[in-house]
Amino acid sequence: MQAAFRAAYHLPPVNAVAVGTHNPDHLRELTNAQSFAADEEAVRHYRSLLRNRRQE
């Protein structure tokens, strides 16, 4: 979940992502995910998939 949350900031690039949870531990995990580096190759791949899907 943390990797997906981190990648969400790059697909497309954004400054904020809205989340909802009733579990403070989940929110803490997502907050900590901000310290992770996104895998740029994976981000490029996901962007390509999104572009291709929009063209269908």
Side-chain angles (χ1 to χ4, degrees):
M1 179 167 61
Q2 292 173 326
F5 181 73
R6 186 64 184 120
Y9 278 84
H10 297 275
L11 300 170
V14 297
N15 293 322
V17 174
V19 298
T21 181
H22 295 291
N23 185 329
D25 291 331
H26 291 169
L27 188 57
R28 189 174 304 109
E29 287 179 10
L30 296 177
T31 302
N32 290 340
Q34 292 305 301
S35 65
F36 301 155
D39 181 334
E40 293 299 324
E41 180 60 33
V43 169
R44 280 192 293 278
H45 178 70
Y46 290 136
R47 283 182 182 156
S48 175
L49 291 172
L50 291 170
R51 271 193 303 273
N52 291 343
R53 185 165 185 172
R54 276 188 261 162
Q55 294 174 359
E56 292 177 359

